[in-house]
Amino acid sequence: MLSDPIFTIGILACFLVLIILMIGIGSFAKGGEFHRKNSNRLMRYRIIAQAGAVIIIVGYAYLRSRGGN
C-alpha cells in the first residue's frame, strides 16, 4: 500500500488538512490581528483541502475495489 502513489498522495492530503486545521485553531485560540485577517480564509482552505482529500481517498478505494494496483 505504501508503494502506491495515490495512497501516498492521500496521506499527504490528510496531513495538509491537519496542518491547516491546527493553524486555524491556533489563530482562534490566540486571537489578535492574524485571527481577524486570516481565520475565514484558513477555514475555506481547510474545506477545499478536505474535499480534495476525500476525493483522493474515495478514488483510491474505488480503484482498489476494481482490482487496480
Side-chain angles (χ1 to χ4, degrees):
M1 245 187 343
L2 291 175
S3 64
D4 191 352
I6 296 175
F7 181 79
T8 305
I9 292 170
I11 294 294
L12 292 174
C14 289
F15 278 120
L16 178 65
V17 171
L18 179 64
I19 290 168
I20 294 171
L21 180 62
M22 296 310 290
I23 293 170
I25 289 173
S27 77
F28 284 137
K30 187 176 179 186
E33 188 65 26
F34 181 81
H35 170 66
R36 280 192 292 280
K37 284 186 174 183
N38 298 306
S39 63
N40 285 333
R41 182 178 305 139
L42 281 168
M43 289 304 109
R44 278 184 293 213
Y45 290 160
R46 181 191 58 87
I47 298 279
I48 293 167
Q50 194 169 351
V54 167
I55 289 169
I56 292 168
I57 292 167
V58 169
Y60 175 77
Y62 176 74
L63 290 174
R64 292 289 290 196
S65 72
R66 297 204 55 201
N69 287 0

